[in-house]
Amino acid sequence: MTVMSRENWAFGAQIVSAIGILVIAIVTFSDQSNKEFRDEIRTELTGLRTDMRSEFALIRSEIHDLNTRLGRVEGYFRVSGNE
């Protein structure tokens, strides 16, 4: 086996450092893009929830109107059935 010289050790340390910096840069970029993606999804979901709440409120009011009309019809048939 050959003994590694100081130049080889220094070069190896530089390579390891460069790889470490590259890994840190990739992880940082990945985390930032994930954060942007999560924020975008959160915004979209908030918009969907708001739309669904307004739709459910509309459906609820329509059901209430239908129940009111049905009650009137039932009342009319009750009144006209007794005569």
Side-chain angles (χ1 to χ4, degrees):
M1 263 205 175
T2 61
V3 177
M4 290 184 68
S5 66
R6 286 185 172 227
E7 292 88 24
N8 288 341
W9 277 103
F11 183 68
Q14 287 175 343
I15 290 177
V16 169
S17 296
I19 291 173
I21 291 170
L22 183 62
V23 167
I24 290 171
I26 290 171
V27 168
T28 302
F29 176 76
S30 174
D31 185 45
Q32 180 64 30
S33 64
N34 285 341
K35 183 179 183 292
E36 291 172 2
F37 179 72
R38 285 190 308 262
D39 290 344
E40 183 179 336
I41 293 297
R42 189 174 295 128
T43 303
E44 289 292 324
L45 288 176
T46 302
L48 285 174
R49 283 188 205 118
T50 303
D51 291 344
M52 289 182 72
R53 282 186 189 131
S54 64
E55 288 294 322
F56 285 142
L58 179 64
I59 290 170
R60 221 175 299 138
S61 69
E62 288 178 0
I63 288 174
H64 180 71
D65 289 345
L66 286 173
N67 283 335
T68 303
R69 291 179 189 167
L70 182 60
R72 287 182 189 153
V73 170
E74 288 175 344
Y76 174 77
F77 281 134
R78 240 180 273 136
V79 169
S80 62
N82 290 334
E83 295 179 4

